[in-house]
Amino acid sequence: MTEQDVLAMPEADYMNAAQLAFFRNILVQLKDEMLRKAGATTEYLREEVSVVPDPADRATIEEEHALELRTRDRERKLLKKVEQSIASIDAGDYGYCEETGEPIGIGRLLARPTATLSLEAQQRRELKQKMFGD
């Protein structure tokens, strides 16, 4: 099944078995890719542990390591959301807004498969955070 197939389905079929399987596949692939990258990072950091006498070269290597670790930290947080989304599919809650219970929408889920809020609820939350710093 492709994105076009999912988008072509009538609204009455929202989050049917085929759509849930489609999104589960996307999420599982995303999870597998992140775990693969995490393993590759570990190997990369182990291999790069060498004494570099030049301070400029050492600083460059340390900056690259720091950037790599920040990237993996972001992916670690995303991995948690991916796992929650897979659990949501299993529970039958996937695709529905946590605040309103309304459908999130296929287009939004294709753009962000880990979305838990409808676009309107997300906008309200962001506005509230901007106004109150919460």
Side-chain angles (χ1 to χ4, degrees):
M1 178 172 277
T2 66
E3 287 184 17
Q4 290 78 21
D5 295 336
V6 172
L7 287 169
M9 289 183 175
E11 286 186 33
D13 289 343
Y14 186 73
M15 288 300 117
N16 61 25
Q19 290 176 344
L20 290 172
F22 175 79
F23 284 108
R24 173 186 284 284
N25 185 40
I26 289 174
L27 291 162
V28 167
Q29 287 178 4
L30 187 58
K31 178 181 176 180
D32 291 345
E33 179 68 15
M34 284 188 288
L35 291 174
R36 187 192 60 73
K37 284 182 181 178
T41 297
T42 303
E43 288 301 315
Y44 168 73
L45 293 176
R46 275 194 205 130
E47 291 172 1
E48 288 292 318
V49 178
S50 60
V51 178
V52 179
D54 182 28
D57 289 342
R58 189 169 46 245
T60 300
I61 290 170
E62 288 175 5
E63 183 62 30
E64 288 174 358
H65 287 183
L67 180 61
E68 186 74 20
L69 290 172
R70 280 195 301 270
T71 301
R72 292 304 152 245
D73 187 52
R74 288 180 60 117
E75 286 187 352
R76 180 186 55 81
K77 292 173 184 172
L78 178 58
L79 181 61
K80 184 176 179 183
K81 289 181 179 183
V82 167
E83 290 172 342
Q84 289 171 342
S85 295
I86 292 171
S88 177
I89 289 173
D90 293 340
D93 299 330
Y94 185 77
Y96 295 93
C97 180
E98 287 181 345
E99 288 185 6
T100 65
E102 298 173 356
I104 292 173
I106 297 296
R108 178 158 166 74
L109 290 171
L110 286 171
R112 184 178 296 267
T114 59
T116 58
L117 299 173
S118 66
L119 187 57
E120 294 80 15
Q122 183 66 37
Q123 289 172 336
R124 281 193 304 271
R125 181 176 282 185
E126 289 173 3
L127 181 60
K128 182 180 174 185
Q129 288 174 341
K130 186 176 180 182
M131 290 175 61
F132 302 111
D134 186 25

